[in-house]
Amino acid sequence: MHYRQTRAEISSSAIKHNANWVRRIMEGGKLLGVVKADGYGHGVIPAVRALEPHVDGMAAGFMEEALAVRESGYKGPLVILEGCFSAAELTICYEQDLSPVVHCEQQLECIEQAQLRSPLWVWLKIDTGMHRLGWPQEQAQQALNRLQSSNNVSGVTLMSHLANADAEHSRNASQKQQFNKLSDTLSGYQALSFHNSAGLLNPDTQWPLQANDWLRAGLLLYGVNPSSVTEVQTELQPAMRLVAPVIALHKLEKGESVGYGSAWTADKPRVVATVAMGYADGYPRQAQNGTPAMVRGQRVGLAGRVSMDMLTIDVTEVEGVQIGDDVELWGQNVDVRRVADCADTISWHLLTGVSGRVPRVIV
Ligand SMILES: *Cc1c(COP(=O)(O)O)cnc(C)c1O
């Protein structure tokens, strides 16, 4: 039973729709649905169930997340994006049929030394310029040779990750060129994976996906455009609607302020609504005055500082606002990207940051 009306509505049909839209855009290739971080905050179980019929594989961040995906009933290919560092984890990979990423020497040694009853499919990650995870390009062939000669390896997907695909940046073309060169010159791998959501849409990083190319899509599946450059008209449907009720209304005279720090002051008589959504729910405290929200079908703006359990909005222009009215903080009407901009952050951060005390309601 939830007494507080605050909730994140999760639309399974939106996730399905987005997966199908992504499939049309990618024109071939394989789709890896990324469900790390509790399905980008949507709940791993609803995310996995919605995606299962529409993807060729899924990806989790680390072992605990991969096990949660298996527990939700998914039996298909499942990649662990940070890979494994111990023999115990590799044994679970074998038992649960998981594919670890191998991004460094320690992980490769671990695989070479493991005693597995049957071999694993692994993803070898090469660094083409992001310098976060991955092998230096000049060591890639040697790493592939070692994987090929290990009894614990049945096949290899060669992967790399883009650092700037969501924006225009000269490194996009250079990363793409380096990955192309690697895929031409290296031998001993069976499949490729280069693109994330933004990489699929960015003209500088696109290429026609071949049958053995995997797109690793996260944000797009949840209905949010990752790219600031794309001219592509997306047909995405946001899968999360963050909603909270009005729990108080106050009339402010000109010169009166609302909330901590008195960070917003009425420039004329105003009506302010208090909403049951705060930073402990995952709404960003950094959000500026004027950050959009919607109530009674009308766009309103944040007024004053976000506190732990509540925030305040200016509803002066909205007719008939009452206690109990739903306020959309982001979703189908309020673009989470705009909220992210107003809080100097990104959509990924907001979606994954919705906290455990906000019930996820499947609609
Ligand atoms: C999270 C992640 C993705 C998915 O990124 P989106 O931008 O959400 O599509 C792809 N690849 C790797 C290696 C990741 O860690």
Side-chain angles (χ1 to χ4, degrees):
M1 179 65 201
H2 294 294
Y3 297 101
R4 193 184 185 222
Q5 211 171 299
T6 302
R7 66 204 181 270
E9 296 176 355
I10 307 301
S11 166
S12 306
S13 66
I15 295 176
K16 289 172 178 292
H17 165 93
N18 298 326
N20 283 318
W21 183 79
V22 168
R23 279 222 174 272
R24 283 211 303 286
I25 294 293
M26 62 192 273
E27 297 175 352
K30 291 186 180 160
L31 177 55
L32 192 74
V34 181
V35 294
K36 64 190 181 192
D38 200 28
Y40 281 46
H42 296 64
V44 67
I45 293 173
V48 167
R49 293 203 178 138
L51 286 172
E52 178 160 13
H54 307 284
V55 298
D56 304 291
M58 296 203 203
F62 44 89
M63 178 58 80
E64 286 82 349
E65 289 190 342
L67 291 175
V69 174
R70 282 288 182 246
E71 273 160 33
S72 72
Y74 179 67
K75 297 197 170 64
L78 180 51
V79 179
I80 303 181
L81 292 169
E82 288 176 11
C84 299
F85 284 94
S86 68
E89 280 184 278
L90 290 173
T91 302
I92 305 174
C93 286
Y94 151 71
E95 289 167 354
Q96 300 278 336
D97 194 14
L98 309 173
S99 290
V101 164
V102 179
H103 63 70
C104 66
E105 175 64 29
Q106 286 81 349
Q107 291 183 328
L108 179 49
E109 280 174 13
C110 222
I111 286 183
E112 288 176 321
Q113 288 158 16
Q115 313 230 318
L116 303 176
R117 259 178 268 154
S118 67
L120 306 175
W121 193 284
V122 304
W123 288 45
L124 184 70
K125 188 165 192 173
I126 313 297
D127 182 9
T128 54
M130 181 154 176
H131 303 315
R132 186 182 63 173
L133 293 181
W135 294 77
Q137 293 172 59
E138 54 282 7
Q139 294 175 20
Q141 187 58 62
Q142 215 195 346
L144 275 166
N145 295 345
R146 285 168 63 189
L147 288 171
Q148 261 192 313
S149 57
S150 166
N151 290 333
N152 292 322
V153 177
S154 61
V156 180
T157 300
L158 194 67
M159 73 180 287
S160 191
H161 196 49
L162 285 156
N164 301 283
D166 59 336
E168 274 185 46
H169 200 294
S170 60
R171 289 198 200 273
N172 283 324
S174 95
Q175 280 200 271
K176 172 176 156 171
Q177 189 199 349
Q178 301 201 37
F179 193 72
N180 265 330
K181 191 167 138 214
L182 286 171
S183 63
D184 285 346
T185 54
L186 298 178
S187 61
Y189 66 89
Q190 288 72 36
L192 294 169
S193 179
F194 183 58
H195 297 92
N196 53 5
S197 291
L200 177 73
L201 300 182
N202 191 322
D204 291 340
T205 54
Q206 276 173 348
W207 71 62
L209 289 152
Q210 307 298 317
N212 276 339
D213 277 343
W214 284 90
L215 165 70
R216 307 185 303 272
L219 197 70
L220 282 176
L221 299 176
Y222 305 100
V224 181
N225 186 339
S227 182
S228 62
V229 288
T230 175
E231 300 291 318
V232 182
Q233 193 57 45
T234 66
E235 290 166 25
L236 300 169
Q237 295 176 1
M240 180 193 292
R241 180 168 178 260
L242 187 65
V243 193
V246 171
I247 60 169
L249 287 160
H250 287 99
K251 289 193 172 135
L252 271 65
E253 298 299 332
K254 179 180 173 180
E256 290 184 319
S257 302
V258 62
Y260 288 122
S262 300
W264 185 90
T265 302
D267 57 351
K268 59 178 191 186
R270 295 274 187 180
V271 182
V272 167
T274 304
V275 181
M277 166 64 56
Y279 60 77
D281 299 299
Y283 192 92
R285 187 180 171 281
Q286 294 78 3
Q288 299 292 318
N289 282 329
T291 301
M294 182 164 278
V295 59
R296 292 195 171 241
Q298 256 177 271
R299 190 159 290 261
V300 295
L302 188 70
R305 241 175 238 169
V306 175
S307 49
M308 190 185 292
D309 313 309
M310 288 168 265
L311 54 77
T312 38
I313 54 176
D314 176 3
V315 295
T316 313
E317 309 298 331
V318 188
E319 256 333 95
V321 178
Q322 287 175 12
I323 290 184
D325 280 359
D326 271 340
V327 178
E328 178 178 310
L329 286 317
W330 60 69
Q332 288 78 22
N333 303 294
V334 179
D335 191 339
V336 68
R337 291 185 297 170
R338 285 275 299 118
V339 179
D341 283 346
C342 292
D344 200 17
T345 186
I346 54 174
S347 312
W348 295 260
H349 187 189
L350 296 188
L351 296 178
T352 60
V354 175
S355 76
R357 78 176 191 177
V358 178
R360 271 58 169 183
V361 179
I362 319 294
V363 295

